[in-house]
Amino acid sequence: MPKNAIYPRHSHPWGELVYSYSGVMEINLKDGHFLAPPQYAVWLPPDVEHQGLNRQAAVHCSLYVSLDLCGPLPQRTTALEVNPMLRTMLEYLREKEGTCPSNPAHLRFLQVVVDQFAEGQQVGSFLPSTTDPILGRYFSIYKIIRMTIGH
């Protein structure tokens, strides 16, 4: 996605996992704001109205999860930690984009991806953000410190 891209506000009857391979995706809700850098994905349960955007260029994906597979995933929107195995699985999906979507082995692989997200650590809305230039400097320092110490 190019810098300053915006997806219109929408919802859908399936769940959505938003993951950013590079850059940061932002997800706006009526009552919250979530950030998805490569260390985290944002889980949106079915029927949650949201708007996606990115302030800088980003490469991301949305994994749509059918309603019947959403049960083990959180019931509320949250950021989920992406462990190294899951990151590798997402890279594999990126490389295989559009190939054999109904292949039984591919569907089993996708089920494991969903299972990994379901077992992932929930981290809330990830990090604070602001458009204020003075506060923005402090939040940037805070983000660097958190990423450095692994929180």
Side-chain angles (χ1 to χ4, degrees), residues 94-110:
R94 181 181 179 189
E95 292 170 14
K96 298 293 183 183
E97 182 181 359
T99 60
C100 304
S102 60
N103 176 307
H106 184 70
L107 294 174
R108 288 191 303 273
F109 181 83
L110 290 172

Side-chain angles (χ1 to χ4, degrees), residues 4 17 24-25 33 36 43 45 62 66 76 85 88 92 95 99 103 105 108 129 141:
N4 295 319
L17 286 156
V24 177
M25 290 301 298
H33 184 84
W43 165 244
S62 288
S66 65
R76 62 179 175 75
M85 182 175 82
T88 299
Y92 173 82
E95 292 170 14
T99 60
N103 176 307
R108 288 191 303 273
S129 64
I141 292 168

Side-chain angles (χ1 to χ4, degrees), residues 59-141:
V59 176
H60 83 286
C61 70
S62 288
L63 296 164
Y64 298 114
V65 181
S66 65
L67 187 58
D68 59 320
L69 298 177
C70 290
L73 290 155
Q75 299 303 303
R76 62 179 175 75
T77 301
T78 189
L80 297 167
E81 189 170 9
V82 176
N83 66 44
M85 182 175 82
L86 186 51
R87 187 170 295 113
T88 299
M89 295 172 81
L90 291 166
E91 284 292 342
Y92 173 82
L93 288 173
R94 181 181 179 189
E95 292 170 14
K96 298 293 183 183
E97 182 181 359
T99 60
C100 304
S102 60
N103 176 307
H106 184 70
L107 294 174
R108 288 191 303 273
F109 181 83
L110 290 172
Q111 181 62 60
V112 174
V113 171
V114 172
D115 292 344
Q116 286 294 304
F117 274 115
E119 293 176 8
Q121 179 181 352
Q122 295 181 39
V123 292
S125 63
F126 180 60
L127 295 172
S129 64
T130 182
T131 56
D132 182 278
I134 295 172
L135 288 176
R137 285 187 294 198
Y138 293 105
F139 281 146
S140 294
I141 292 168

